Amino acid sequence: MKNEDISRLCDSGMISCIDIHFAGLMTRLTGGDIPGLSLAAALVSSSARDGNICLDLSTVAGKELLGKENADDPVICPGFEAWCTELQGSSVVGKPGEYRPLILDDRGRLYLFRYWDYQEELAGLIKKRIGEDIKNIDHTLLKEGLERLFPDDGLSDIDWQKIATFTAVTKKFCVISGGPGTGKTAIVAKILALLIEQKPAKRLRIALAAPTGKAAARLQEVIEHARGDLHCTDDIKEKIPVETSTIHRLLGTIRHSPYFRYNDKNTLPVDVVVVDEASMVDLPLMSKLVQALPSQSRLMLLGDKDQLASVEAGAVLGDTCDTGNKHGFSKRFCGDIETATGCNIHELSGGNDEPGLQDCIVELRKSYRFRSGSGISRISRAVNEGADDRAAELLSKGEFEDITWVELPAPDKLPAAFGKMIVNGFKDYLKARNPGEIFRLINDFRILCAVREGPYGVVTINRIAEQILGEEKLIKPEEKWYQGRPIMITRNDYNLHLFNGDVGVILADPMMGNERRAFFTNADGTLKKFHPLRLPEHETVYAMTVHKSQGSEFNRIAFILPDRQSPVLTRELIYTGITRAKENVTLYGTEEIFRTAVVRHIERTSGLRDALWKD
């Protein structure tokens, strides 16, 4: 291995100039030329930018990175044992617990120090919470409250919402997972009501947060609605907060700094923290949040463990739930559940009498969004299980009214092929004049794309949509701020209370002589408006990526896959895209691309799962 080989990797696009720079920095710090170190440093830097927490050397050791077809000599990684030995002899590589730029653990996983530190802090604090019982719980009062808020419906099914609520009240750390429509967010109000009933004289300090402004607004909307329907006193309802914030805002963003106002030295003044859409939270942010929590506070994470992982590094929710593996509850916890809820789940016991992380995770299994046997439900389940044959067969049969498969048209045929879909999808909201009705109709339909660039990406599809709607005289795309233009904010602006993912519409404002304004909705349904020139970064949004759609739901969607393979095409992306729809999905693609995506699973290298489950 030669240092010029690393430059060749950069020329091939396998690593970037940033990775080369980092590798050079490590070499200068050691004061010597260690090609094995340079390669490892470049690869771990590249791996972190791809969303991984670490680089597992065993997965690349001895492998050919560039073949002879790319140059005179192939580029081959050192053997595993020799590579680890070489790195251990470097002054910039330390063992776990040491303060060095790079950390190599005993399983051959190489970390940038900051990611190692984030992982260990998070794992240690979660395990500490798991090992500490909540004291002074009035179990008689709790049982009465559970019976009141979750009355027996006479069915034999296990009420997993009831079990999740009991778990959240009795644990310092709790994860409530489940697919779309299982009621993850809706039960938050019931959980908070029972917590408040435990100590009605004390004002519980409750923080409700989500990773994005859009998700935070959705959380607020759901809790406001659910709070009014609770079977509890008005005094208890009054004490349930509805105001939400982003995690960044909760922690107190410091401009031009990666640090927050609240941290392990200055903890948040909270007793309970609820985080919705936790699958979207990356490792650094989750670690900083947990470090900022007082030791006595409760932490509840809500999310779909099978959805797309965070854009940035890590798959915290998936690692915490040990996605892909099953863990039975402890015998003791099964007994506590039966006593408090009447639900017999002893058959789900793992045979272990010691409580642990498995007792802190509850998966909701009944969807209230999709009817039994719906196409969306059945196909999303097949996708989630990686069953490409079953998923493709269900689509090709065409026996479901709520999901339709359409062969992907050629790029030059897109305007003709998509014309009817685009006009029917957007004409109602574009013809409406009442802002309230416009915002109701705009969320009826959306186009989702797997990729941003290319003939089937967001940029192209938005341009085609404007072309078609312009030809139909529904919009005037030659005007920048045309009536009805849908826009999505792409950068947070805390001064304007506009956040990444917020969707608004450009409309004539009769209060300002019909000048155009950008209208958005508040969580309570009221409208706010801004001069377009005041808006932070934004883009037209007839179509959006599946990543941007997380936390949203639409009555109908058109989901467009590209015509060629891409690393972003995974079962998590397909599952997330399909399940954004409540009523109907039209999926455009080719069978080969669809099948490959369903089989491919997001694999992010991390030691968090081992730290939580295997110690």
Side-chain angles (χ1 to χ4, degrees):
M1 172 64 63
K2 304 173 184 176
N3 279 330
E4 50 264 34
D5 290 337
I6 301 173
S7 297
R8 288 166 53 200
L9 293 177
C10 182
D11 294 338
S12 72
M14 189 167 293
I15 60 176
S16 74
C17 294
I18 295 173
D19 308 321
I20 291 283
H21 177 76
F22 180 72
L25 176 61
M26 293 299 100
T27 299
R28 289 194 296 275
L29 287 175
T30 59
D33 185 6
I34 309 177
L37 170 65
S38 298
L39 177 63
L43 291 178
V44 75
S45 172
S46 175
S47 182
R49 288 187 297 100
D50 287 338
N52 297 295
I53 301 306
C54 56
L55 171 68
D56 188 342
L57 295 178
S58 67
T59 63
V60 292
K63 290 191 175 179
E64 186 179 272
L65 299 181
L66 282 181
K68 288 185 177 180
E69 65 274 11
N70 299 99
D72 294 335
D73 298 312
V75 176
I76 302 175
C77 293
F80 180 68
E81 297 294 339
W83 204 359
C84 288
T85 299
E86 183 180 25
L87 293 175
Q88 288 165 351
S90 168
S91 61
V92 298
V93 180
K95 298 176 182 178
E98 294 182 340
Y99 186 66
R100 302 281 179 86
L102 298 171
I103 300 295
L104 182 65
D105 71 9
D106 57 4
R107 294 188 54 180
R109 291 180 296 214
L110 185 67
Y111 295 79
L112 300 174
F113 175 81
R114 66 179 181 277
Y115 285 130
W116 165 262
D117 192 47
Y118 288 140
Q119 174 184 291
E120 293 307 293
E121 287 285 353
L122 178 59
L125 289 169
I126 287 177
K127 289 193 288 188
K128 184 178 180 182
R129 287 176 180 278
I130 294 167
E132 295 176 345
D133 293 330
I134 296 287
K135 298 178 181 178
N136 303 320
I137 292 179
D138 186 333
H139 287 276
T140 301
L141 179 62
L142 175 57
K143 183 177 181 179
E144 183 277 326
L146 288 168
E147 290 173 351
R148 175 168 28 91
L149 296 178
F150 298 92
D152 187 357
D153 58 9
L155 302 177
S156 58
D157 291 347
I158 295 172
D159 191 339
W160 287 104
Q161 288 193 356
K162 192 174 186 180
I163 292 172
T165 300
F166 169 81
T167 305
V169 173
T170 58
K171 302 287 184 183
K172 276 191 174 181
F173 176 74
C174 172
V175 177
I176 301 175
S177 183
T182 52
K184 299 181 296 294
T185 309
I187 64 171
V188 171
K190 295 182 179 181
I191 293 170
L192 298 180
L194 294 177
L195 286 173
I196 294 167
E197 286 179 354
Q198 286 287 312
K199 294 183 179 180
K202 179 184 177 181
R203 191 81 182 186
L204 272 184
R205 300 170 298 175
I206 300 168
L208 306 172
T212 67
K214 178 176 63 176
R218 173 65 179 158
L219 175 62
Q220 180 170 330
E221 178 186 342
V222 172
I223 292 179
E224 279 186 335
H225 178 76
R227 184 175 67 166
D229 295 333
L230 289 178
H231 295 292
C232 60
T233 66
D234 290 340
D235 180 58
I236 297 297
K237 292 180 184 179
E238 187 99 6
K239 291 179 180 178
I240 298 174
V242 294
E243 184 177 349
T244 60
S245 73
T246 63
I247 299 174
H248 286 83
R249 193 166 197 189
L250 175 66
L251 291 174
T253 302
I254 300 174
R255 180 172 289 189
H256 306 308
S257 170
Y259 302 105
F260 292 101
R261 175 186 170 196
Y262 291 105
N263 48 53
D264 59 336
K265 302 292 191 301
N266 179 37
T267 57
L268 284 160
V270 292
D271 301 302
V272 181
V273 173
V274 178
V275 178
D276 198 11
E277 297 292 349
S279 64
M280 299 168 66
V281 185
D282 57 63
L283 173 70
L285 184 58
M286 186 67 81
S287 184
K288 290 174 182 179
L289 172 64
V290 176
Q291 289 181 56
L293 298 182
S295 59
Q296 75 278 6
S297 64
R298 286 176 170 86
L299 173 62
M300 288 174 244
L301 304 181
L302 315 173
D304 187 345
K305 62 182 176 57
D306 298 313
Q307 270 192 197
L308 284 165
S310 56
V311 175
E312 303 299 331
V316 175
L317 190 66
D319 285 345
T320 304
C321 294
D322 200 15
T323 303
N325 297 309
K326 295 184 184 263
H327 298 274
F329 299 111
S330 70
K331 292 179 180 178
R332 187 188 309 177
F333 188 65
C334 289
D336 293 341
I337 287 289
E338 186 170 20
T339 300
T341 69
C343 298
N344 186 340
I345 59 170
H346 288 280
E347 64 179 24
L348 300 176
S349 169
N352 184 1
D353 195 38
E354 289 300 315
L357 181 54
Q358 72 276 8
D359 295 337
C360 300
I361 300 170
V362 180
E363 183 174 0
L364 305 182
R365 309 180 184 196
K366 180 180 179 180
S367 176
Y368 299 89
R369 178 184 297 180
F370 307 124
R371 67 182 186 278
S372 178
S374 75
I376 295 175
S377 177
R378 291 182 62 182
I379 292 171
S380 63
R381 191 180 307 117
V383 168
N384 205 9
E385 294 169 0
D388 62 314
D389 287 338
R390 177 154 50 95
E393 183 182 5
L394 288 169
L395 280 172
S396 63
K397 281 184 176 180
E399 60 185 60
F400 302 109
E401 294 181 357
D402 59 341
I403 189 162
T404 304
W405 171 264
V406 178
E407 282 294 322
L408 192 68
D412 61 337
K413 305 293 185 183
L414 291 182
F418 289 167
K420 184 176 179 181
M421 174 262 288
I422 288 171
V423 172
N424 289 341
F426 298 112
K427 66 180 180 180
D428 288 343
Y429 107 79
L430 288 171
K431 289 180 178 180
R433 287 296 174 260
N434 179 276
E437 185 181 10
I438 288 171
F439 276 98
R440 179 181 63 81
L441 292 172
I442 197 173
N443 287 321
D444 182 63
F445 174 76
R446 191 63 49 86
I447 302 171
L448 301 186
C449 298
V451 296
R452 179 168 179 80
E453 305 295 338
Y456 303 95
V458 164
V459 175
T460 298
I461 300 302
N462 274 318
R463 186 174 65 247
I464 290 173
E466 287 190 317
Q467 173 191 330
I468 291 169
L469 295 172
E471 291 172 353
E472 293 292 319
K473 309 300 182 185
L474 291 168
I475 63 171
K476 296 180 179 179
E478 66 276 9
E479 298 178 6
K480 182 176 182 179
W481 306 113
Y482 61 79
Q483 173 78 13
R485 179 188 170 196
I487 56 172
M488 180 172 63
I489 301 300
T490 58
R491 180 179 57 80
N492 292 339
D493 188 319
Y494 290 98
N495 292 324
L496 298 180
H497 295 277
L498 291 175
F499 305 100
N500 187 4
D502 285 354
V503 172
V505 186
I506 302 298
L507 300 172
D509 183 4
M511 303 293 292
M512 301 297 295
N514 285 327
E515 285 187 13
R516 302 289 161 78
R517 293 291 184 266
F519 284 76
F520 295 82
T521 55
N522 293 304
D524 60 2
T526 58
L527 295 175
K528 55 186 176 182
K529 59 187 177 181
F530 305 91
H531 193 288
L533 296 179
R534 294 186 62 203
L535 295 176
E537 294 171 20
H538 58 278
E539 60 189 21
T540 302
V541 69
Y542 295 105
M544 65 199 306
T545 62
V546 175
H547 277 88
K548 288 288 188 181
S549 76
Q550 284 183 272
S552 300
E553 59 182 34
F554 309 97
N555 291 331
R556 300 172 295 128
I557 66 164
F559 185 7
I560 302 173
L561 300 179
D563 62 344
R564 61 198 64 192
Q565 298 295 346
S566 168
V568 305
L569 292 173
T570 63
R571 75 181 62 159
E572 289 85 357
L573 182 133
I574 302 294
Y575 168 80
T576 302
I578 289 174
T579 56
R580 295 312 88 202
K582 294 190 290 185
E583 298 176 3
N584 185 273
V585 177
T586 302
L587 182 57
Y588 295 84
T590 66
E591 183 174 339
E592 179 187 359
I593 297 296
F594 176 77
R595 282 177 173 272
T596 303
V598 171
V599 171
R600 185 186 290 130
H601 179 54
I602 289 178
E603 294 185 8
R604 289 193 167 178
T605 309
S606 164
L608 179 62
R609 188 179 300 229
D610 285 351
L612 291 173
W613 288 100
K614 294 186 178 179
D615 283 1

